[in-house]
Amino acid sequence: MARFIFITGGVVSSLGKGLASAALGALLQARGYTVRLRKLDPYLNVDPGTMSPFEHGEVFVTDDGAETDLDLGHYERFTGVAARMSDSISSGRVYSTVLEKERRGDYLGKTIQVIPHVTNEIKDFIRIGEDEVDFMLCEIGGTVGDIEGLPFFEAIRQFAQDKPRGQCIFMHLTLLPYLAASGELKTKPTQHSVKELRSIGLAPDILVCRSEHPIPEREREKIGLFCNVRKDAVIAAYDLKSIYEAPLAYHAQGLDQAVLDAFGISPAPKPDLTIWHDVADRIHNPEGEVRVAIVGKYTQLEDAYKSIAEALTHGGMANRVKVRIDWVDAELFDREDAAPYLEGFHAILVPGGFGERGTEGKIKAAQFAREKGVPYLGICLGMQMAVIEAARNVAGLTTAGSEEFDHEAGVKRFEPVVYHLKEWVQGNQTVARRSDDAKGGTMRLGAYDAVLREGSKVAGVYGTTAIEERHRHRYEVDTKYREKLEAKGLCFTGMSPDGKLPEIVEWSDHPWFIGVQFHPELKSKPFAPHPLFSDFVRAAVVNSRLV
């Protein structure tokens, strides 16, 4: 039966609960334990799939097709444990489930209330798979005191009461602000946050305190005294140059030992941190640097492309180089020539996105990379724009475009080289979709197989001709244009097993130009970089020596 660690946050948001949870999971793994991490989000959306990237950052997709919070990406990158649909829940999903049960009559005519019906639903979610691992880490989104979070805090309070004593602990993240005028770290916000937590029946066993300055021993003792936490369970969390230093930094501060002590696990297995020492060495001792331009439409918020940025870092680590990312707004090229902005980059990446805004700029970026021989990686929409660019500028289809843009504008303007996907095979069944379907959860989502052409560049990158990658899209490149495009050198080197859906395209006469319909960044990890990103950065290194 799993032991449960509930991670909450206080004072302000964005303190790094997800990162702390992921690092703790990695440390417990280093001691030989099995772990699973979960995210409980209080917002009323059923999932983040319909949220703007500006609103919520990227949407992380699991193998089984769940659209989840970006923190699940941290969990996977640090532990290597593939997230599942059962690892992410929101208030919206909880209330939807409760109301569906009420409509079916499952509650036998009872009055439906937050306690016990909503809290029971949350507790049932937390219990899923509890017999599969040694530790279950559950992060509660938001901060203590948020009205939306109250049912979740009440649910974990009840859950801990239901379990045998010593099977659940609570870890609380807070902020220790530094006042330059007085030259002091102030503990009062942490005290008030813990007071708020205790007022709803939760007493933290471990406090993780974010701070820009070292925490003096006197302040640590004060926090322990006023917050009723053992002094050695007050853990300092300092700003780091790289998030991948977090496991070593938290271990140095004693976080994993504090957790084991809270559970009364003694003696505990010694940790093997070899992997994380190697990761840190590759980050801090690069043997060169490459510049990569990410030409996107959500570049004002880097979290919108979180997994891509991390996957590029992993590719750099695989090649022992630092990858310097420059964020380039695709809309800039709607008005100006792309060349002056893209000269000097060693590689160009065009990521996914939705809607027509910025797409002409992405097409110009693909054209620049093709004509100048610059390594290019197009992901999802980035692949589609590369195909449209080829159709317009090489194959002579001057009105080539995407049906998505015509749907958005409400008028037919383009020859649909990219069309709305109405039917596809998922497992043993056929899925059908219409363009006017509801938006939430109706895309081609999750892991699908692809077959790669023998002898293609991408088959060489993967080292195999059979792969499985995660998808998140409604539109596909139309295979009826395949013959015309391949005659001009744009080869369809990856297809769905039934041969109907293009998965990968590549220019046969280009040093490195690959477009993929799926999202390879979602499966990359610091200790296991994705092969596409590793080889993309390798190609950037080669190009850097030519520039």
Side-chain angles (χ1 to χ4, degrees):
M1 195 70 72
R3 294 178 171 91
F4 289 84
I5 304 167
F6 293 104
I7 299 103
T8 57
V11 186
V12 294
S13 60
S14 301
L15 282 180
K17 291 195 305 296
L19 181 57
S21 303
L24 176 56
L27 289 174
L28 292 171
Q29 281 183 323
R31 290 180 180 265
Y33 296 109
T34 56
V35 301
R36 179 161 287 283
L37 291 97
R38 297 218 152 116
K39 182 71 184 288
L40 293 79
D41 272 309
Y43 52 71
L44 279 171
N45 303 65
V46 171
D47 60 41
T50 55
M51 292 190 205
S52 163
F54 293 123
E55 190 82 14
H56 197 71
E58 79 165 5
V59 173
F60 188 82
V61 179
T62 62
D63 283 335
D64 55 4
E67 294 178 284
T68 71
D69 184 84
L70 60 81
D71 277 329
L72 271 76
H74 286 313
Y75 303 163
E76 275 205 30
R77 284 188 283 272
F78 278 76
T79 66
V81 177
R84 302 188 296 222
M85 194 173 291
S86 57
D87 293 330
S88 176
I89 198 169
S90 68
S91 289
R93 175 158 282 136
V94 171
Y95 283 108
S96 294
T97 305
V98 168
L99 292 174
E100 285 167 13
K101 288 183 176 180
E102 186 271 334
R103 292 289 85 188
R104 286 199 307 264
D106 291 8
Y107 297 119
L108 302 175
K110 291 181 179 176
T111 302
I112 310 306
Q113 296 177 285
V114 173
I115 302 171
H117 301 100
V118 171
T119 51
N120 282 349
E121 197 65 39
I122 296 169
K123 289 193 289 182
D124 288 345
F125 165 76
I126 295 170
R127 287 191 191 98
I128 297 171
E130 65 178 341
D131 56 346
E132 297 175 2
V133 294
D134 299 317
F135 288 95
M136 192 79 79
L137 287 73
C138 300
E139 177 194 346
I140 316 299
T143 56
V144 62
D146 294 346
I147 192 168
E148 297 96 336
L150 288 175
F152 289 92
F153 291 121
E154 172 60 19
I156 63 175
R157 185 197 67 78
Q158 293 178 18
F159 189 90
Q161 288 292 100
D162 296 342
K163 291 292 181 184
R165 187 180 296 276
Q167 202 171 334
C168 300
I169 68 168
F170 297 93
M171 184 171 106
H172 191 55
L173 266 78
T174 68
L175 176 69
L176 294 183
Y178 178 77
L179 295 186
S182 60
E184 291 179 299
L185 284 174
K186 305 306 289 186
T187 66
K188 194 62 73 177
T190 292
Q191 293 177 45
H192 279 295
S193 182
V194 171
K195 182 182 178 183
E196 180 76 23
L197 195 64
R198 292 174 69 87
S199 72
I200 54 178
L202 301 175
D205 299 281
I206 296 167
L207 278 177
V208 177
C209 302
R210 281 296 301 271
S211 173
E212 296 178 0
H213 298 268
I215 303 174
E217 196 66 18
R218 184 171 57 85
E219 301 302 319
R220 199 184 292 253
E221 291 173 357
K222 181 179 178 181
I223 293 167
L225 177 64
F226 281 87
C227 297
N228 198 36
V229 173
R230 294 166 59 96
K231 188 185 74 171
D232 53 6
V234 177
I235 308 297
Y238 302 124
D239 294 347
L240 303 171
K241 291 182 180 178
S242 166
I243 62 172
Y244 300 114
E245 296 177 63
L248 296 177
Y250 276 122
H251 176 68
Q253 289 293 324
L255 176 60
D256 48 329
Q257 189 60 55
V259 167
L260 297 170
D261 289 345
F263 281 115
I265 299 174
S266 181
K270 294 276 188 270
D272 179 2
L273 297 169
T274 306
I275 286 176
W276 293 105
H277 284 296
D278 179 59
V279 166
D281 178 60
R282 289 174 181 271
I283 289 171
H284 292 302
N285 300 296
E287 296 170 1
E289 180 178 284
V290 293
R291 293 183 65 206
V292 176
I294 296 182
V295 183
K297 58 195 293 183
Y298 313 118
T299 53
Q300 297 93 322
L301 181 69
E302 293 180 17
D303 273 358
Y305 302 116
K306 189 65 179 173
S307 290
I308 287 177
E310 297 308 323
L312 283 171
T313 299
H314 306 160
M317 290 159 62
N319 290 277
R320 281 203 170 270
V321 295
K322 179 181 180 181
V323 177
R324 188 151 67 97
I325 297 171
D326 282 62
W327 303 93
V328 181
D329 187 350
E331 285 189 274
L332 192 65
F333 303 153
D334 291 347
R335 306 179 297 274
E336 301 182 46
D337 180 22
Y341 294 93
L342 297 178
E343 296 281 2
F345 286 108
H346 305 128
I348 296 169
L349 189 152
V350 176
F354 296 91
E356 188 173 3
R357 181 179 65 82
T359 52
E360 291 299 323
K362 291 187 174 188
I363 290 169
K364 287 181 181 177
Q367 181 180 4
F368 177 89
R370 176 179 62 81
E371 293 177 346
K372 301 294 184 181
V374 177
Y376 176 93
L377 175 58
I379 295 173
C380 198
L381 186 67
M383 166 186 161
Q384 295 173 5
M385 296 305 98
V387 171
I388 290 172
E389 190 278 322
R392 287 182 186 177
N393 300 323
V394 182
L397 303 171
T398 55
T399 60
S402 173
E403 204 171 30
E404 178 181 6
F405 310 150
D406 283 346
H407 287 163
E408 186 179 20
V411 58
K412 181 166 172 43
R413 298 164 295 160
F414 298 114
E415 182 167 353
V417 173
V418 176
Y419 73 103
H420 180 264
L421 183 62
K422 298 173 182 64
E423 190 175 282
W424 68 89
V425 175
Q426 184 173 17
N428 297 320
Q429 62 183 27
T430 300
V431 180
R433 288 284 184 266
R434 299 189 325 181
S435 59
D436 60 351
D437 281 348
K439 298 297 182 197
T442 56
M443 287 183 273
R444 187 178 174 214
L445 290 164
Y448 289 84
D449 294 333
V451 179
L452 311 185
R453 183 186 297 179
E454 288 272 8
S456 64
K457 184 180 270 85
V458 77
V461 169
Y462 276 98
T464 181
T465 57
I467 63 169
E468 181 188 79
E469 294 284 3
R470 297 177 189 173
H471 291 248
R472 183 178 183 248
H473 58 98
R474 288 189 182 86
Y475 295 83
E476 287 270 0
V477 173
D478 197 332
T479 52
K480 77 179 183 182
Y481 297 96
R482 177 177 179 175
E483 189 176 331
K484 185 170 285 191
L485 289 166
E486 289 201 324
K488 297 296 183 179
L490 184 65
C491 302
F492 287 52
T493 53
M495 299 292 292
S496 59
D498 61 8
K500 293 181 179 179
L501 303 178
E503 295 280 8
I504 303 171
V505 296
E506 62 182 68
W507 279 105
S508 57
D509 58 351
H510 192 282
W512 208 101
F513 191 112
I514 294 174
V516 297
Q517 184 57 71
F518 46 81
H519 289 269
E521 71 274 16
L522 300 179
K523 297 180 82 167
S524 187
K525 302 165 187 68
F527 42 80
H530 192 285
L532 270 175
F533 281 89
S534 295
D535 206 62
F536 178 58
V537 174
R538 180 201 59 76
V541 172
V542 172
N543 190 42
S544 72
R545 293 169 184 156
L546 303 175
V547 173

